[in-house]
Amino acid sequence: MEAHLTVGRVAGLAGVSVRTLHHYDEIGLVRPSARTASGYRAYAAGDVERLRQVLAYRRLGFGLREIADLVDDPATDAVAHLRRLRGLLLDRRDQAAAAVTAIDRELEARAMGMNTTPEEQLKVFGAQLYDVIGSAYPATRRTEPRIAESIWDALGDARTVLNVGAGTGSYEPPDRDVTAVEPSAVMRAQRPAGSAPCVAAAAERLPFEDQSFDAAMAVSTVHHWPDPVAGLREMRRVARRVVVFTYDASSTGWRDRFWLTRDYLPEFGGLLTDWPSLADLARAIDGRAEPVLVPWDCADGFFEAHWRRPEAYLDEQVRRAVSVWTRVGPQAEQRAVDGLRDDLSSGRWAERNRDVVALDAAELGLRLLVT
């Protein structure tokens, strides 16, 4: 390879326009490290490698802000990016192959005069929720140290830990022997280099022998399981101790304890209509429930995290990493965002929530279940 490639040469090789490369330079995403004698942009090998990463993530559907966070991550080197991209591409290939197979089956059925059911038709392009929202996780979903301390303390002296619904690895204790379980290929592909080994499996069917681990943990994931009680019983089967970070939707007045769901997003309540009671969840692991307060400056961008920073909910990137917004649908989301924006501008939010801004931590229904 030449010492430097001109912007025109790079554009031609990459299949993008020179204007696109200029834009990436202007926003600081990919800045060529040199100029030609005539003053044109020139790309060194390292610049080209970064551009390759940017274009690969872009073509997988990531937004530019998400991509910037990914490629600027100091803990992820070029090899880790390649492994992550490979996993994402393999997952996309598998999804396409499954869709082709389903379409072929429907064509065969129709050729024989048979119609498929609506459920079968929708499954052709159905996706797990984390496959939809997972790409936004690296930008806003991080380990909150104060919550992590509560979780790790609850693990006690456990040396071997199973992390069920592990996602990208947040809250995995660094000083234990951790095995992760995560069904979503998108989430598995985003696990940092050097993180715990991860098994593709569902909580309800853990591929481990009875009492294989000292402890099993699950953080902000139980509400996505098809059968939460069955999944928790499985955790109890494979581990001597179980620690679960979840949400209580059964206490009196739970719908009104968070201003966002009370005043702007009542649809949140509908998401938990069939959700087991906290007592049922605790009973599944023979455990007890402890409240977990959310600090005002919570680093993990889960749904309740910005309770004292309402402007954050106006940020598309913040919302995209939270499953609630995907599940309520775009109309409810837009109405909630518009209403909140208006109230912040007029001062109504501040007037209505003057007691909130005086708190350092809030009780918003988050619970730690511990055996």
Side-chain angles (χ1 to χ4, degrees):
M1 177 179 170
E2 303 132 8
H4 291 88
L5 296 178
T6 65
V7 65
R9 176 72 170 149
V10 170
L13 289 170
V16 298
S17 68
V18 170
R19 183 176 181 180
T20 294
L21 297 181
H22 288 178
H23 178 60
Y24 288 172
D25 183 8
E26 290 164 1
I27 65 175
L29 190 57
V30 182
R31 285 182 169 152
S33 55
R35 294 273 176 169
T36 67
S38 303
Y40 294 107
R41 293 170 173 86
Y43 292 75
D47 307 329
V48 171
E49 185 172 89
R50 182 180 174 93
L51 176 62
R52 188 270 309 279
Q53 294 168 2
V54 168
L55 294 177
Y57 285 121
R58 190 74 176 124
R59 288 164 185 170
L60 282 165
F62 288 72
L64 292 181
R65 283 187 295 179
E66 300 169 54
I67 294 171
D69 288 321
L70 288 169
V71 298
D72 287 333
D73 182 2
T76 306
D77 60 16
V79 173
H81 279 297
L82 287 173
R83 288 174 175 163
R84 177 186 290 164
L85 289 167
R86 183 178 186 275
L88 292 168
L89 289 166
L90 286 175
D91 181 63
R92 180 158 296 189
R93 181 198 66 183
D94 293 344
Q95 289 180 357
V100 169
T101 299
I103 289 172
D104 287 344
R105 288 175 180 168
E106 183 169 347
L107 287 171
E108 292 174 2
R110 294 195 177 217
M112 294 185 292
M114 301 167 56
N115 290 323
T116 53
T117 67
E119 291 81 5
E120 291 169 334
Q121 293 172 22
L122 290 175
K123 284 180 181 178
V124 172
F125 298 107
Q128 295 296 322
L129 181 59
Y130 276 127
D131 289 342
V132 176
I133 68 172
S135 62
Y137 263 58
T140 63
R141 302 301 297 270
R142 305 179 182 90
T143 299
E144 164 50 53
R146 287 155 290 192
I147 294 177
E149 184 177 359
S150 298
I151 295 170
W152 297 344
D153 284 348
L155 291 173
D157 60 358
R159 300 307 309 163
T160 58
V161 178
L162 180 68
N163 186 17
V164 182
T168 60
S170 296
Y171 298 97
E172 289 179 359
D175 58 344
R176 325 268 181 135
D177 181 6
V178 178
T179 300
V181 169
E182 172 54 52
S184 168
V186 170
M187 300 300 282
R188 292 197 304 272
Q190 295 182 84
R191 292 177 62 81
S195 60
C198 190
V199 177
E204 296 86 349
R205 295 178 298 279
L206 295 175
F208 304 104
E209 299 294 330
D210 293 358
Q211 303 297 287
S212 300
F213 299 89
D214 295 333
M217 59 183 282
V219 178
S220 298
T221 179
V222 176
H223 53 290
H224 293 300
W225 298 354
D227 190 338
V229 170
L232 292 175
R233 287 173 177 165
E234 271 287 89
M235 292 177 67
R236 191 73 174 98
R237 177 184 67 79
V238 303
R240 287 179 284 280
R241 175 176 296 166
V242 177
V243 177
V244 178
F245 182 50
T246 187
Y247 183 80
D248 176 18
S250 57
S251 59
T252 303
W254 69 271
R255 295 173 186 266
D256 297 328
R257 63 190 163 205
F258 184 24
W259 57 261
L260 181 58
T261 57
R262 181 193 66 211
D263 300 331
Y264 303 99
L265 200 67
E267 291 84 357
F268 176 76
L271 302 180
L272 299 172
T273 301
D274 299 321
W275 180 245
S277 69
L278 189 68
D280 289 338
L281 297 176
R283 193 176 302 114
I285 62 169
D286 300 319
R288 66 185 187 280
E290 302 173 357
V292 178
L293 300 183
V294 183
W296 77 268
D297 55 349
C298 184
D300 189 352
F302 51 73
F303 183 59
E304 299 86 356
H306 306 287
W307 59 270
R308 214 181 85 176
R309 297 167 287 168
E311 295 83 1
Y313 294 106
L314 305 182
D315 188 335
E316 171 79 11
Q317 190 175 33
V318 168
R319 299 197 305 276
R320 288 289 67 78
V322 177
S323 62
V324 168
W325 298 103
T326 299
R327 294 173 68 193
V328 297
Q331 291 184 338
E333 177 181 1
Q334 192 60 56
R335 190 206 64 247
V337 170
D338 290 345
L340 176 58
R341 182 182 291 108
D342 290 345
D343 284 356
L344 288 171
S345 177
S346 68
R348 282 191 295 269
W349 184 91
E351 177 66 24
R352 190 182 296 145
N353 297 284
R354 60 176 61 185
D355 57 326
V356 168
V357 297
L359 301 175
D360 290 328
E363 203 294 274
L364 298 173
L366 299 180
R367 298 288 182 267
L368 200 63
L369 303 181
V370 185
T371 54

